[in-house]
Amino acid sequence: MSGGRHYLPLTDAERQEMLAAIGADSVEQLYDELPPAIRLKDGLKLPPPLSEMEALAHLSELAVKNRHLREYPCYLGAGVYDHFIPSVVQYLTGRSEFSTAYTPYQAEISQGLLQSIFEYQTLICRLTGMEAANASLYDGATSLAEAAVASCGATRRRKVLVSRAVNPYYRQVLQSYLQAREFQLEELPLLKGETDYARLEMMLDDETAALLLQQPNFFGLLEEMEGVAEVAHRHGALLVLSVDPISLALCRTPAEYDADIVTGEGQALGNPPSFGGPLLGFFAARQKLLRRIPGRIVGETRDNQGRRGFVLTLQTREQHIRRERATSNICSNQALNALAAAVYLAALGPAGLREVAGLCLQKAAYAREKITALDGFEQAFPGVHFKEFAVRLPGTGERLNRHLLEHKIIGGLDLQPYYPELGPAMLFCVTETKSRAQIDALVRALEGWS
Amino acid sequence: MRKEQALLFELGAPGRRGCSLPQPDLPVKPLDELLPPERQRKSALKLPEVSEGELVRHYTALSTRNYGVDSGFYPLGSCTMKYNPKVNEEAARQPGFAFLHPCQPAESVQGALELFYRTESYLKEITGMDRVTFQPAAGAHGELTGMMLIRAYHSSRNDQRKIVLAPDSSHGTNPASAAMTGYKIKELPSDERGLVDLKALRELLNEEVAALMLTNPNTLGLFEEDILEIAALVHDVGGLLYYDGANLNAIMGHARPGDMGFDVVHLNLHKTFATPHGGGGPGSGPVGVKEHLAPFLPVPLVEKGESGYYWKDDLPLSIGKIHGFYGNFGVVVKAYIYLVMMGAAGLRQAAADAVLNANYLMERLKRSYTLPYDRRCKHEFVLSAREQKKKGVSAGDIAKALLDYGFHPPTVYFPLIVEEALMVEPTETESKKTLDRFAEALEEIARLVEEDPEHVTTAPHTTPVGRLDEVRAARKPRVCWEGDEKSD
């Protein structure tokens, strides 16, 4: 028997009736124009189909082979974060009027999504201090790459300067995107875990489209960025900041650093880590760059009776209208993840988000103090930390993580593959989801290890 | 008259909150000590302040102003809006999948790696390709990846090609993706059959051509029956053939792009493999390649070794990374359980039913609307409202009129080569009764065009809002709420 019959409503009798209506004898005849050489004679070679019950059991068998974050406390960050998600987020984003809809092309029956995206755009603007935001991009890495491409378009320049303190995964994606366009990518070096701004003036020139920085940077450090925008702007370059949205409850906003474009990973706002996807790339910019923004944008308007309503707007930037001259090729985005972010931000409110950020700050500081007090574990960099910090280790990170796994702990990120110059080092992330008891258990597991 | 739905920012009251958080369980330091005042946020954080109940009512009200596949028929051409099985959601929500960090050691995520590996096996068999990457987060992202692979392939042979061909009926993402990889686009005309014009193809092909991007069946829903000849022509000049998988639903289990001569394929798991589209995403756009392009795939790939599954990073010719991590894993889980439940015969039946449904509707509707390419279609077909247009009613008006019948309209004004296009894709998950009701609605609208065209041009009449002013939205863009609009 073929699988998935409960998804296929046509009965054999109906199939016969419909074939008769179109003047065909068999379903096979509907494929008559396919060259015989490419028609599959024996069908696909796939395992026999499973019923719903068997399939769920099979998926559960795969799932239990994984050690997940609700089972083992996890100290990984590096762009994907373990934050608490209130129940309302899953409950509301699970409503199928949202989740089973396509992109809201037909505005009159898509006001729910369109308004929620408009609210999301507004929330992103309020967090970052920017004036315009889009409906989402794939993830923090691609939104930074899109910002670089948009900067080259806006300035008509072909070079991008990125700090080595920017997430190495992001820099890899940036490299792929820019190389394809034959745009140049140069790296601003590190000094004690922060961008070496003394080199900035020397490396910026009249071909530089943008300066790409991360705040807090990859090592969790809040960089001293006072005056950086002014230097970039003096050379005609845009300042692009990739930020952690949770940090913005307490930390100076990108607007307050005079950034032109703000990108980042929004997964932390109400989306589970999900093994790195789906994530949520957010993208916000100054008003003057509105028409350079890639992807969907929702705008407010009125209906024929004067009532407020929302539509996809500025679509002449997009691929379905502009084709090869579009600002980006993006079509599907991460709409449902953006909805989750909006519900999350509204559920937390200003006080809740400040509490989450405060708990991250306090708990990460507590863990950092305890860990770096251990023999052989040294704080890698001085400076102001948010929820992540780098530690020099007495042995390799890979080995340490194996040791921690035996203690039912998922350790931090082994930094050696990305920053070999640091020697054995690990990036720890501590959020509000870690209790003091768990942090103490981590410290005990580290104690005496070498 | 229905009321406007208040914005989040118009709800709530200062001090109200929608969630509780724990008190610190460790000694708290003064904020200024951890975060010097000059690094602190200066501007007020203006987020909504609502109770949990208020929040739920707000989004529930919004959901009633929205239409999904669960609400009704959604024959949006080229989008394959089939029913999304609920078991997919349950499977993906398990903490053993949803709460995995992408940087965990491989030995702690063996089930996730195995799931990638198994899904890759399914997709290789379905497409006839040799390797698959899951990094692309959507179809267009897959196209971009595919074009980067093609570029890397030619570069590795010291062959700098500049041109990519795409049919005039192609999806807008095709030329946009090729442009993002630095290629010049040349448009390939369609012939009177609605298929690739072979004569024009021969004229456009030369050793500057890096690739031809093709959808098969194409966006008119017609199978490119000359595909073997097309493939030979492209390969003869050293070019590669790219398969836009948006329309794979028509041929699953009946034919494979790999056997047709395609070198690179992207799939849309959110179309063909029944994962929900989420109101615009997340999707998933895996890319499959033949052996000769495999060395260029993004890193990392999943491999199976003696001691389990592992990430292979060592691909010296790789184009690098195109997603921060491994793509939309959560979507891949949903597609995998769908594949496991459908099996070979189920997928083949699904494709056949999709094609049967489309032909049945086409046969009926061509009596009321113009069918510019009257051939057997595959999973979708394109009507033209050019006769209705003569009466002052456009394809867009007809789409709006359909809203009053409780249906999502077809795709309109695409493909660009059909004037007043209405592109209908019913999918296999609709019953004959639904198709009949939809056809009746379109027939009634066609009658109304004759008898009362104004009723159609002023539609919709029953939706939460009436026709929206798109020109106004674009002329003075308001994309962020700053308080009540000043009168203008």
Side-chain angles (χ1 to χ4, degrees):
Chain A
M1 194 204 272
S2 73
R5 297 230 341 210
H6 55 308
Y7 305 143
L8 305 175
L10 294 186
T11 63
D12 282 337
E14 282 174 320
R15 288 187 186 111
Q16 288 312 318
E17 199 185 326
M18 292 164 76
L19 282 168
I22 62 174
D25 299 329
S26 67
V27 168
E28 283 306 301
Q29 237 185 48
L30 301 179
Y31 289 90
D32 267 355
E33 76 277 31
L34 271 64
I38 61 163
R39 287 188 71 164
L40 278 180
K41 307 288 182 304
D42 307 320
L44 297 166
K45 287 165 195 64
L46 299 174
L50 301 183
S51 67
E52 180 168 335
M53 190 172 86
E54 294 162 317
L56 264 181
H58 169 57
L59 269 282
S60 297
E61 276 165 27
L62 292 178
V64 299
K65 293 182 189 174
N66 300 321
R67 304 278 68 81
H68 62 79
L69 276 51
R70 293 287 164 271
E71 184 185 14
Y72 286 16
C74 168
Y75 295 91
L76 287 163
V80 172
Y81 299 103
D82 184 20
H83 287 287
F84 175 69
I85 304 172
S87 302
V88 282
V89 176
Q90 159 67 39
Y91 179 81
L92 291 171
T93 56
R95 288 194 66 99
S96 73
E97 297 88 342
F98 296 131
S99 66
T100 72
Y102 201 74
T103 301
Y105 292 131
Q106 291 293 339
E108 295 82 359
I109 53 166
S110 308
Q111 284 301 297
L113 267 168
L114 287 161
Q115 178 169 334
S116 75
I117 297 168
F118 180 80
E119 291 170 349
Y120 161 81
Q121 290 172 184
T122 304
L123 289 164
I124 294 296
C125 287
R126 290 184 174 191
L127 267 181
T128 58
M130 292 289 114
E131 288 116 31
N134 74 4
S136 70
L137 298 171
Y138 308 131
D139 67 354
T142 57
S143 73
L144 184 65
E146 289 274 13
V149 171
S151 301
C152 290
T155 57
R156 297 177 178 278
R157 294 177 173 191
R158 304 189 61 85
K159 196 176 101 178
V160 171
L161 192 54
V162 64
S163 165
R164 190 166 165 76
V166 169
N167 188 321
Y169 304 122
Y170 290 20
R171 282 186 282 123
Q172 279 179 284
V173 174
L174 189 62
Q175 173 74 37
S176 314
Y177 270 64
L178 295 184
Q179 194 174 315
R181 296 284 282 263
E182 291 177 357
F183 292 147
Q184 228 182 309
L185 182 63
E186 287 185 9
E187 201 172 89
L188 203 51
L190 288 178
L191 181 68
K192 293 184 184 163
E194 299 192 22
T195 310
D196 185 359
Y197 290 111
R199 306 281 290 273
L200 184 59
E201 194 81 54
M202 197 162 46
M203 292 188 71
L204 281 167
D205 60 36
D206 59 8
E207 260 310 295
T208 313
L211 171 62
L212 274 44
L213 304 172
Q214 185 179 333
Q215 182 80 317
N217 75 17
F218 186 65
F219 303 109
L221 292 162
L222 276 157
E223 299 196 350
E224 175 51 81
M225 286 186 184
E226 190 73 58
V228 169
E230 194 265 320
V231 179
H233 291 158
R234 184 150 36 78
H235 287 85
L238 299 176
L239 175 62
V240 178
L241 283 191
S242 176
V243 296
D244 172 353
I246 301 274
S247 75
L248 296 180
L250 293 178
C251 302
R252 212 164 136 169
T253 67
E256 289 160 2
Y257 287 112
D258 206 10
D260 301 284
I261 300 178
V262 183
T263 66
E265 179 50 65
Q267 170 270 330
L269 307 173
N271 289 281
S274 197
F275 205 39
L279 302 177
L280 167 64
F282 62 85
F283 191 108
R286 296 290 190 190
Q287 186 71 25
K288 64 179 183 200
L289 293 167
L290 178 63
R291 285 178 166 78
R292 293 279 169 188
I293 295 179
R296 313 282 186 205
I297 298 177
V298 170
E300 184 186 324
T301 188
R302 299 272 151 183
D303 78 352
N304 53 7
Q305 294 167 62
R307 293 173 293 193
R308 178 168 67 195
F310 303 91
V311 292
L312 293 173
T313 194
L314 303 172
Q315 294 192 68
T316 51
R317 299 164 299 112
E318 291 190 67
Q319 46 77 27
H320 60 288
I321 309 277
R322 193 56 71 85
R323 296 176 75 87
E324 64 267 28
R325 288 180 301 281
T327 52
S328 166
N329 71 333
I330 190 167
C331 184
S332 285
N333 54 28
Q334 304 285 120
L336 203 63
N337 306 97
L339 180 66
V343 175
Y344 175 86
L345 287 169
L348 266 76
L353 198 68
R354 266 195 300 270
E355 284 169 34
V356 168
L359 285 167
C360 290
L361 194 68
Q362 296 288 347
K363 294 194 172 198
Y366 174 83
R368 178 160 48 93
E369 226 165 76
K370 294 274 179 185
I371 292 171
T372 56
L374 298 171
D375 273 350
F377 293 83
E378 280 171 45
Q379 180 165 320
F381 307 117
V384 181
H385 291 81
F386 180 55
K387 66 187 182 195
E388 289 170 285
F389 54 91
V391 175
R392 289 189 208 275
L393 306 176
T396 70
E398 199 185 347
R399 212 159 50 73
L400 176 56
N401 273 336
R402 224 173 295 135
H403 165 77
L404 288 174
L405 215 46
E406 283 165 20
H407 287 74
K408 300 188 187 263
I409 294 170
I410 299 167
L413 185 81
D414 177 12
L415 285 170
Q416 200 138 25
Y418 313 104
Y419 296 94
E421 67 268 33
L422 298 182
M426 184 165 280
L427 183 68
F428 287 94
C429 174
V430 185
T431 67
E432 81 283 4
T433 57
K434 302 298 170 288
S435 67
R436 177 180 186 165
Q438 287 173 330
I439 299 169
D440 289 343
L442 168 69
V443 174
R444 279 195 304 276
L446 295 175
E447 198 168 5
W449 179 85
S450 61
Chain B
M1 186 160 133
R2 295 263 307 245
K3 283 205 191 112
E4 292 174 355
Q5 174 65 31
L7 288 162
L8 261 180
F9 314 100
E10 295 165 327
L11 301 172
R16 212 176 270 171
R17 56 187 297 161
C19 146
S20 68
L21 289 159
Q23 289 299 308
D25 56 355
L26 36 73
V28 171
K29 292 187 173 167
L31 179 63
D32 287 359
E33 191 181 309
L34 295 176
L35 191 63
E38 73 276 9
R39 313 280 174 97
Q40 291 178 22
R41 182 177 181 114
K42 295 188 189 106
S43 57
L45 181 61
K46 289 195 281 180
L47 298 181
E49 293 179 89
V50 292
S51 69
E52 184 175 323
E54 254 178 317
L55 184 66
V56 169
R57 288 222 175 117
H58 175 67
Y59 281 101
T60 303
L62 286 182
S63 76
T64 66
R65 297 159 78 91
N66 219 68
Y67 187 100
V69 169
D70 284 5
S71 317
F73 188 39
Y74 216 121
L76 196 62
S78 249
C79 300
T80 314
M81 294 297 281
K82 62 172 76 174
Y83 170 72
N84 311 127
K86 302 313 164 208
V87 65
N88 301 8
E89 303 302 310
E90 186 174 333
R93 224 174 11 238
Q94 305 182 65
F97 292 132
F99 286 92
L100 298 181
H101 193 285
C103 303
Q104 283 182 232
E107 63 258 39
S108 71
V109 288
Q110 283 294 300
L113 295 183
E114 183 176 342
L115 190 137
F116 269 134
Y117 189 85
R118 284 173 174 265
T119 312
E120 182 177 353
S121 304
Y122 270 89
L123 298 184
K124 285 195 298 199
E125 173 63 13
I126 290 166
T127 58
M129 307 308 275
D130 298 319
R131 280 290 340 222
V132 177
T133 172
F134 290 94
Q135 257 186 61
H141 204 202
E143 292 177 22
L144 178 65
T145 306
M147 297 320 286
M148 286 179 181
L149 293 169
I150 286 169
R151 204 171 183 278
Y153 167 83
H154 289 304
S155 296
S156 76
R157 300 155 61 93
N158 283 322
D159 189 356
Q160 308 303 333
R161 295 177 178 237
K162 295 193 172 60
I163 292 164
V164 165
L165 304 179
D168 51 9
S169 62
S170 68
H171 296 116
T173 47
N174 291 179
S177 301
M180 278 183 77
T181 30
Y183 284 114
K184 285 200 171 52
I185 320 304
K186 282 201 178 162
E187 203 171 81
L188 178 59
S190 307
D191 63 15
E192 68 288 348
R193 301 172 300 168
L195 304 179
V196 164
D197 184 334
L198 286 174
K199 185 166 167 281
L201 176 62
R202 282 197 193 89
E203 282 162 14
L204 285 168
L205 278 175
N206 57 43
E207 290 183 354
E208 288 274 272
V209 174
L212 166 62
M213 298 181 86
L214 215 55
T215 316
N216 197 15
N218 67 24
T219 62
L220 295 166
L222 306 176
F223 192 84
E224 296 284 357
E225 54 193 56
D226 304 320
I227 185 60
L228 293 172
E229 192 177 349
I230 293 169
L233 288 171
V234 173
H235 289 151
D236 279 351
V237 297
L240 296 175
L241 200 56
Y242 181 90
Y243 185 82
D244 171 344
N247 295 346
L248 185 76
N249 202 46
I251 57 164
M252 288 186 298
H254 297 269
R256 311 191 303 172
D259 299 334
M260 299 176 203
F262 285 95
D263 303 283
V264 191
V265 168
H266 91 257
L267 302 174
N268 299 74
L269 300 187
H270 49 289
K271 295 180 179 176
T272 319
F273 301 113
T275 74
H277 201 264
S284 174
V287 167
V289 295
K290 290 277 181 63
E291 203 58 60
H292 52 282
L293 285 155
F296 308 101
L297 283 170
V299 281
L301 290 172
V302 179
E303 299 281 1
K304 189 178 179 177
E306 276 170 17
S307 56
Y309 298 89
Y310 64 98
W311 289 118
K312 184 178 164 67
D313 266 306
D314 178 30
L315 283 168
L317 297 175
S318 166
I319 58 167
K321 281 173 77 67
I322 51 99
H323 182 269
F325 298 95
Y326 324 117
N328 285 340
F329 172 74
V331 179
V332 177
V333 176
K334 296 178 194 182
Y336 176 65
I337 191 166
Y338 176 76
L339 288 167
V340 161
M341 288 177 65
M342 293 299 281
L347 292 174
R348 186 178 163 88
Q349 185 68 57
D353 283 358
V355 171
L356 180 59
N357 275 353
N359 278 284
Y360 176 75
L361 260 186
M362 180 178 80
E363 208 53 38
R364 180 161 172 183
L365 288 171
K366 76 181 189 189
R367 295 178 223 147
S368 317
Y369 295 86
T370 305
L371 179 65
Y373 300 97
D374 192 357
R375 300 163 62 84
R376 181 140 287 151
C377 69
K378 293 273 87 56
H379 65 304
E380 69 189 1
F381 60 95
V382 181
L383 297 170
S384 167
R386 65 181 181 223
E387 292 306 317
Q388 285 75 17
K389 182 74 182 177
K390 290 176 190 161
K391 306 266 161 45
V393 178
S394 67
D397 294 326
I398 292 164
K400 297 300 179 203
L402 269 171
L403 301 178
D404 288 328
Y405 293 85
F407 296 113
H408 195 287
T411 298
V412 288
Y413 303 117
F414 184 82
L416 306 176
I417 58 170
V418 173
E419 113 192 59
E420 299 297 321
L422 290 157
M423 185 191 208
V424 185
E425 180 180 8
T427 82
E428 72 278 12
T429 60
E430 300 300 334
S431 69
K432 177 173 173 295
K433 194 170 179 182
T434 301
L435 304 182
D436 287 335
R437 282 180 41 237
F438 176 71
E440 279 158 27
L442 268 175
E443 286 160 0
E444 192 171 307
I445 293 166
R447 273 199 301 281
L448 279 169
V449 171
E450 304 292 331
E451 293 158 12
D452 183 9
E454 206 193 321
H455 186 83
V456 183
T457 55
T458 53
H461 304 283
T462 59
T463 46
V465 291
R467 271 203 212 192
L468 291 152
D469 188 345
E470 294 192 3
V471 174
R472 176 193 175 116
R475 201 184 58 232
K476 287 179 75 181
R478 282 167 60 88
V479 304
C480 166
W481 197 70
E482 290 152 1
D484 282 324
E485 194 173 357
K486 290 174 198 78
S487 56
D488 58 13

